[in-house]
Amino acid sequence: FFPGGVEGMINSISDFETDAAQAAIKAEENSPWPPDMREQVWGDRLRLRHKLKKEMNRYEDFWKDHGEDFEQWCRSLPAKTLKKNMQMPRTEVTERLRTKYGIHSAFGIVLCAVVDQVAHFKDTKYPVDARGEPEVQFEKHLVYDRRGGFTIRIYDKEGTIKEDVFQVWLNRMRSLGGPKLLERAPKKTNDEDEGGADDAVQEEEGREHSFRSDRRIVRLLIARYFADQLITKYQKETQQDEEREEVIPAN
């Protein structure tokens, strides 16, 4: 149970701008879904965010303690190794949602459709979903390949690192530690506020705001997967180096 029901849940999601929240509330009022299903979907939306927020410290602490060394370590990796650790199979996204975050309900079905949208996002002709430069640039460089899944192409065909794309990844990985799970857009000025949208338009915008937010969450999960793969490999290799240094006696 959440105070205020669906409306209370929508208003509690911090990355929703005020107009987006109001549009989403309007859309839910006219939704054909049963009330209990709507509450279940929004409840899971909220719970997933809470779980993701609790994990942010891990990325913040890692970057604070290892950021510079980690960057140099990434540069030292063979191109094939780095690319392998920055690929996420499409099925892995929904699998992690089920096994790690316990998303099994109707929201899981919604997210399956959202993952498909992210995989074919260019075909949708939607504008950029992201907010904040690190997230925006990551979204622009994220691609989907049927063989390799989700990835970003850090190397060119000759195996040379693309410095601009590599920096995009470093910036996104650093931002996984916060301060916000997902940034909000700057507030509109009076001149920018179009206003006057009719109910049908507002309802459609409300649904799209919800899916846009879900797509951002899916891309966040992909970025975290890349980061987790690399952090695990980095920690394993650096630990092995430390153990070897302990075995070799000092001269």
Side-chain angles (χ1 to χ4, degrees):
F1 174 77
F2 194 92
V6 170
E7 182 174 345
M9 291 185 228
I10 293 173
N11 284 326
S12 70
I13 294 180
S14 59
D15 57 280
F16 264 31
E17 293 90 19
T18 303
D19 58 345
Q22 292 304 313
I25 291 168
K26 183 68 177 177
E28 290 303 319
E29 288 174 354
N30 298 312
S31 172
W33 288 10
D36 58 338
M37 185 177 289
R38 278 181 273 159
E39 288 199 9
Q40 186 183 63
V41 168
W42 280 99
D44 280 349
R45 232 179 218 127
L46 196 57
R47 279 187 286 274
L48 177 58
R49 279 168 166 75
H50 283 167
K51 290 178 180 179
L52 291 170
K53 285 178 181 178
K54 287 181 179 179
E55 297 171 343
M56 288 171 65
N57 285 344
R58 176 175 184 249
Y59 302 99
E60 181 183 17
D61 292 344
F62 176 82
W63 198 263
K64 181 173 62 178
D65 295 338
H66 304 283
E68 291 185 9
D69 291 339
F70 175 78
E71 178 178 344
Q72 294 305 314
W73 174 82
C74 282
R75 290 181 181 279
S76 71
L77 290 176
K80 186 176 180 180
T81 302
L82 186 55
K83 286 192 289 186
K84 181 180 178 181
N85 282 275
M86 296 189 70
Q87 292 179 332
M88 185 177 194
R90 182 169 161 177
T91 54
E92 182 67 23
V93 183
T94 49
E95 181 63 23
R96 283 169 77 89
L97 284 165
R98 284 195 297 267
T99 58
K100 187 174 182 179
Y101 299 105
I103 303 298
H104 302 278
S105 65
F107 185 46
I109 298 173
V110 170
L111 286 177
C112 284
V114 169
V115 171
D116 186 66
Q117 280 190 344
V118 172
H120 303 98
F121 190 66
K122 289 183 179 179
D123 297 334
T124 68
K125 307 300 182 184
Y126 290 145
V128 171
D129 292 326
R131 300 288 187 264
E133 193 64 14
E135 186 189 353
V136 167
Q137 291 303 319
F138 180 77
E139 177 180 328
K140 288 181 176 180
H141 285 85
L142 184 67
V143 295
Y144 175 74
D145 178 86
R146 284 188 300 173
R147 291 174 298 176
F150 293 104
T151 188
I152 57 175
R153 296 189 173 117
I154 287 185
Y155 290 92
D156 60 23
K157 293 180 180 179
E158 285 70 41
T160 303
I161 197 166
K162 298 179 182 177
E163 287 294 336
D164 57 336
V165 182
F166 183 58
Q167 193 59 51
V168 164
W169 165 243
L170 292 177
N171 292 342
R172 184 62 182 122
M173 185 170 172
R174 186 184 297 113
S175 72
L176 295 178
K180 299 289 186 181
L181 183 70
L182 295 173
E183 289 191 37
R184 295 182 65 169
K187 290 184 178 180
K188 290 182 179 180
T189 64
N190 291 335
D191 292 337
E192 294 173 320
D193 190 358
E194 297 175 2
D198 60 35
D199 289 349
V201 172
Q202 190 177 31
E203 183 178 336
E204 184 60 32
E205 287 178 349
R207 292 196 183 95
E208 179 47 36
H209 281 308
S210 301
F211 289 130
R212 176 194 298 167
S213 183
D214 291 339
R215 288 192 297 267
R216 293 179 69 193
I217 288 291
V218 166
R219 293 190 190 95
L220 173 66
L221 289 168
I222 294 169
R224 284 191 175 188
Y225 181 85
F226 294 167
D228 291 345
Q229 293 278 98
L230 290 169
I231 288 172
T232 299
K233 185 171 181 59
Y234 170 82
Q235 290 176 332
K236 182 178 179 180
E237 291 192 3
T238 52
Q239 183 179 358
Q240 288 174 344
D241 290 342
E242 290 172 359
E243 289 173 352
R244 280 195 291 268
E245 288 176 2
E246 290 176 1
V247 171
I248 300 173
N251 292 328

